[in-house]
Amino acid sequence: MKKLALILLTMLCGFFTNAQEKEQNFDVVSYTLPNGWEQQLKEGGLQLSISDKKSGAYAVAVIIKTSASTASANENFNNHWDNLVKGTVQLNSSPKMSSPINENGWDIISGGANYTDAGHTGLVTLLTATGAGQTVSIILMTNTKNYQNDLTTFLNSLKLTKPSQNANNKASSVATNKSKLAGTTWQAYSLEKFPSSYNATGGFYSGGFWFLQYKFNADGTYQFVYNGASAFAVNPVNVLQYETGTYSISGNQLTITPLKGSNEEWSVGKINNGMSDSHIREVLESRLKRLKTQTRKLEKITYPFKIEYWEGNKEYALMLHHIQNTVRDGSPGANNYSSFFEAQPGKRSHLLPK
């Protein structure tokens, strides 16, 4: 993959080295592990990394294992950028794209952008290869120039096994199953209520809300977002929780494997007495400044699932079966299902902050 390395090295500002390390393999990718780097097998991929604890400098390469996909090379890059990069770091700009190339049967698209981490600027680069009904991605991140030679070694060593044409059949089969979910936003939401002084058994909408949203993509990645706030809190904040990763389907079994995630609290505008309920909700749904960020528990779960048409709602529902509480879905509802409805045009969608 030396043509690609030459393109990306202009982003990384590195220098060529002669690698003597042993070639290694993961999935369809072969590579050279630079001296001093560690590698760790994770759900959905392989992470290679090196860091300096004293200075906080680091460099990371993550190889995301192949998944079946009927999407185009551009679509796969955009989906992976949105779900595996954009949802995990604070980007300072849109990706600067390199010229697409074709190598060994793969259409390869790459792009990079600066990001901010603990007050330091870093560079994240995404390489996405698409071929024969499959896609594979590699993510590079560093907040220093100290490991430029190592990244050069790694990039120069990258090779992709020629994709098997049999993967097209697999992709078609997977696409049939994933078409039940892919390309659709599934969401559940509620507005808080409290008893009206005029009718103790009734209620009316207050200024609070909660909102859950799943978005499944054709390339096997997903995004989950929870957003909520309460008008009854002494110091109201907008709670934003999100994660991204991969999913797979086998029969009626949906396995969700998160790779990255975060729990955050954001400040909101000032709430004054006399505001209407709808105005209060607009204030609480705003996100002005990030106040707190916490590591999110990443929970891999296999759900029995089904998609049913709810006559009363006049819409389809994605129903995930679980007996125990989950980090994403909370407690199950009726018959141990959590239900998420197909988003309709014009309905509000809660997305991650840019």
Side-chain angles (χ1 to χ4, degrees):
M1 215 186 274
K2 290 189 176 181
K3 285 193 295 183
L4 181 59
L6 288 170
I7 295 172
L8 293 176
L9 289 177
T10 59
M11 296 181 181
L12 296 169
C13 301
F15 303 91
F16 288 98
T17 59
N18 293 319
Q20 301 297 325
E21 297 84 350
K22 181 180 178 182
E23 183 178 83
Q24 302 191 45
N25 297 280
F26 175 75
D27 199 22
V28 299
V29 181
S30 64
Y31 62 95
T32 295
L33 182 69
N35 286 328
W37 283 54
E38 298 179 350
Q39 51 186 347
Q40 183 178 7
L41 189 63
K42 293 181 174 293
E43 291 286 353
L46 179 70
Q47 178 175 296
L48 293 68
S49 63
I50 190 170
S51 63
D52 184 335
K53 293 182 180 180
K54 290 184 179 180
S55 65
Y58 63 82
V60 178
V62 180
I63 304 173
I64 307 299
K65 67 181 181 181
T66 56
S67 60
S69 174
T70 57
S72 68
N74 282 322
E75 289 172 331
N76 283 330
F77 177 88
N78 291 334
N79 286 334
H80 286 192
W81 184 266
D82 288 342
N83 293 291
L84 302 180
V85 177
K86 190 175 179 179
T88 61
V89 295
Q90 184 179 343
L91 296 171
N92 299 336
S93 64
S94 298
K96 181 180 179 181
M97 304 302 296
S98 299
S99 300
I101 66 172
N102 183 280
E103 189 166 308
N104 204 25
W106 296 91
D107 291 320
I108 302 172
I109 295 179
S110 58
N114 290 326
Y115 66 92
T116 301
D117 179 22
H120 298 283
T121 299
L123 175 68
V124 56
T125 302
L126 172 67
L127 296 73
T128 296
T130 301
Q134 330 176 57
T135 184
V136 59
S137 282
I138 301 172
I139 301 171
L140 305 174
M141 294 180 62
T142 184
N143 66 349
T144 180
K145 295 182 179 180
N146 296 345
Y147 303 117
Q148 288 177 1
N149 287 351
D150 288 350
L151 289 170
T152 300
T153 296
F154 177 75
L155 283 170
N156 275 329
S157 71
L158 284 177
K159 297 178 184 177
L160 290 174
T161 303
K162 189 171 183 177
S164 170
Q165 295 304 316
N166 292 333
N168 280 319
N169 296 330
K170 180 180 178 182
S172 298
S173 175
V174 172
T176 299
N177 287 328
K178 287 188 176 179
S179 65
K180 301 176 183 178
L181 299 178
T184 301
T185 299
W186 303 91
Q187 56 192 21
Y189 57 92
S190 175
L191 301 175
E192 292 177 354
K193 294 183 178 182
F194 62 94
S196 165
S197 58
Y198 300 102
N199 182 357
T201 61
F204 58 87
Y205 293 125
S206 75
F209 73 100
W210 59 259
F211 188 100
L212 297 93
Q213 180 186 94
Y214 281 100
K215 183 180 179 182
F216 297 96
N217 301 304
D219 64 352
T221 62
Y222 80 95
Q223 179 188 64
F224 172 84
V225 178
Y226 166 85
N227 195 199
S230 174
F232 303 126
V234 176
N235 295 304
V237 294
N238 181 296
V239 177
L240 177 66
Q241 302 176 357
Y242 54 90
E243 62 182 48
T244 58
T246 62
Y247 74 98
S248 61
I249 294 175
S250 178
N252 71 333
Q253 304 290 308
L254 169 65
T255 299
I256 295 179
T257 305
L259 299 176
K260 298 285 185 179
S262 181
N263 292 342
E264 302 175 354
E265 291 184 4
W266 289 68
S267 64
V268 298
K270 186 176 181 180
I271 298 176
N272 300 315
N273 292 332
M275 278 186 176
S276 67
D277 295 328
S278 60
H279 192 179
I280 291 175
R281 283 197 297 275
E282 289 178 2
V283 171
L284 290 176
E285 289 174 355
S286 66
R287 293 190 288 265
L288 302 182
K289 181 180 179 181
R290 187 185 286 108
L291 302 175
K292 183 187 297 184
T293 300
Q294 294 180 322
T295 302
R296 178 173 176 81
K297 180 180 178 181
L298 302 180
E299 189 175 57
K300 178 181 178 180
I301 299 178
T302 296
Y303 305 87
F305 83 101
K306 58 183 178 180
I307 298 176
E308 289 188 348
Y309 184 75
W310 287 30
E311 187 65 38
N313 294 55
K314 302 297 183 184
E315 56 187 337
Y316 285 93
L318 167 64
M319 303 175 66
L320 305 180
H321 186 271
H322 57 105
I323 298 175
Q324 304 295 330
N325 289 5
T326 72
V327 172
R328 284 185 296 273
D329 317 294
S331 58
N335 300 317
N336 293 322
Y337 279 99
S338 289
S339 301
F340 303 87
F341 294 93
E342 187 176 12
Q344 302 298 321
K347 284 192 175 182
R348 182 186 298 273
S349 293
H350 288 240
L351 302 177
L352 300 181
K354 296 182 179 179

